[in-house]
Amino acid sequence: MNATIRAIDLHLEVPFAISRAVRTEKRIILVELDEGGRVSRGEACPDAFFGETPDGVERAVRAAVPLLPADPSDLATLRARLDAVFPHGGAAAAAIDILAHDRAAQAAGVPLRTFLGLAPAEAPPTSFTLGIAAPEVMGERAAAAAAKGFGVLKVKLGKGDDVAILSAIRARFAGTIRVDPNAAWTPLESPGRIERIAAFGIEFVEQPVPPDDIDGLRYVRERSPLPIVADEAVVRLPDVDRLAGACDGINVKLQKCGGVAEARDMVARAHELGLKVMLGCRAAETSVGIAAAAHLAPAVEWADLDGNLLIVDDPFIAVPVERGRFVFSDRPGLGAMPRR
């Protein structure tokens, strides 16, 4: 197969801080398959939290390209092969799966959302994420997001004064706010912290406690005045059942679970169990990775797909965002094009 795999360094517009790390750049792995001029693309965005490195993921992507079936429409065979090689999902699996879905939809001559049976349903608006900074800085960034038309913010917490941060943001932003401590709180302290911030009109709290503490998550949910959404605790399909009763919703990320196919099953199972679903992303992705999730977004309640909006050097155009809303084209597949 005529595949090209390359590493691309992406640079964030402002330093992106969460409770456990600060990032200014991100190396992703892009895979492109050229079949007679029809180019399909996939993206892997490694995350050290899950033990991934750019070099390791790049090696895995190179080794996985031969798993692609000759028939673009044979996604079931690819799914079985990927599950055998990548039983825990992850970024390398996501890159191959995304490419395969782009390839299959292009071969069918339709946008990916149509191929998935989701058009013309409307996707939820995406949130715009504010990394941790001084309260006045976060207030300024909230105002800038509002000026661009974003009606939903995801605010990172876990360091500093939560009340001061949200006070500064609320002074400049009237829309919906979600908060994400990235597992920085303990189960015992979480209810009190949530009680103190509930007055700011928070929509939900994402992953307040460590991901391996499901009992702790359930403890928080039973005492929280706000809905609780799991992120780091839910990676693959079996985790959805494991988390039933411990949260109100889950954050499904293609780069965590291994791609579109696994994400679809997770969304369906979550809804069967009465859980809401957010489609999320990593802090810096190109429009290739984001587009794959955006095409699936009409199937879920919430979207947090701004990884390409946080960087200054996205090499692609696929599904632009205008005033917080995805603008889909009729181009087949992901609709991704190199930025000129």
Side-chain angles (χ1 to χ4, degrees):
M1 289 186 170
N2 186 18
T4 301
I5 297 100
R6 55 194 169 107
I8 298 175
D9 290 326
L10 305 175
H11 299 88
L12 288 144
E13 183 174 13
V14 297
F16 188 82
I18 64 173
S19 60
R20 58 177 176 258
V22 179
R23 183 173 295 281
T24 59
E25 61 183 16
K26 179 82 173 183
R27 175 165 291 182
I28 62 95
I29 310 302
L30 181 75
V31 54
E32 298 174 298
L33 180 66
D34 189 334
E35 296 174 291
R38 186 181 70 206
V39 180
S40 308
R41 297 181 173 90
E43 177 178 341
C45 182
D47 190 339
F49 184 81
F50 292 97
E52 297 173 331
T53 65
D55 288 347
V57 167
E58 182 174 354
R59 288 193 297 271
V61 170
R62 290 185 184 279
V65 169
L67 300 178
L68 290 163
D71 179 0
S73 67
D74 191 3
L75 294 173
T77 293
L78 177 68
R79 175 79 178 279
R81 292 173 177 174
L82 287 175
D83 284 346
V85 176
F86 303 103
H88 303 295
I96 300 299
D97 172 275
I98 291 169
L99 182 150
H101 278 82
D102 187 20
R103 183 188 184 211
Q106 286 194 53
V110 297
L112 179 57
R113 68 192 183 284
T114 305
F115 184 81
L116 297 174
L118 297 172
E122 185 175 5
T126 182
S127 55
F128 186 83
T129 306
L130 300 184
I132 299 171
E136 61 272 18
V137 173
M138 295 181 75
E140 291 169 1
R141 292 174 182 171
K148 294 177 181 178
F150 288 97
V152 184
L153 292 181
K154 183 159 95 168
V155 177
K156 296 291 187 177
L157 297 178
K159 287 185 177 180
D161 186 331
D162 302 337
V163 171
I165 287 170
L166 290 167
S167 294
I169 290 172
R170 264 293 174 232
R172 310 289 295 275
F173 183 81
T176 299
I177 295 177
R178 305 159 181 170
V179 300
D180 181 9
N182 284 107
W185 300 343
T186 68
L188 289 177
E189 72 179 323
S190 291
R193 283 182 174 271
I194 294 170
E195 188 73 41
R196 286 192 293 273
I197 66 174
F200 294 99
I202 307 302
E203 185 180 21
F204 59 73
V205 179
E206 186 178 344
Q207 196 64 52
V209 302
D212 57 351
D213 190 355
I214 305 305
D215 289 338
L217 190 68
R218 184 177 292 106
Y219 174 92
V220 175
R221 187 207 179 198
E222 290 171 351
R223 292 159 177 79
S224 172
L226 301 176
I228 302 297
V229 174
D231 178 7
E232 287 91 340
V234 56
V235 178
R236 299 272 283 176
L237 181 60
D239 296 321
V240 181
D241 281 83
R242 190 167 61 93
L243 284 161
C247 59
D248 301 284
I250 62 170
N251 185 348
V252 175
K253 295 178 181 176
L254 272 59
Q255 298 292 330
K256 275 193 307 184
C257 73
V260 177
E262 181 80 1
R264 292 187 77 189
D265 287 351
M266 293 177 72
V267 170
R269 182 58 180 152
H271 287 161
E272 288 173 358
L273 294 171
L275 296 169
K276 292 185 177 182
V277 179
M278 177 165 66
L279 276 172
C281 63
R282 290 179 172 167
E285 297 185 28
T286 80
S287 285
V288 169
I290 295 298
H295 280 279
L296 184 57
V300 304
E301 289 78 21
W302 305 310
D304 176 36
L305 299 173
D306 62 346
N308 59 333
L309 306 178
L310 301 175
I311 59 176
V312 296
D313 44 9
D314 186 357
F316 296 99
I317 299 171
V319 182
V321 171
E322 293 182 2
R323 302 194 67 77
R325 291 279 182 180
F326 300 113
V327 180
F328 295 101
S329 73
D330 292 326
R331 294 189 298 274
L334 296 176
M337 304 183 301
R339 191 179 296 272
R340 302 300 181 188

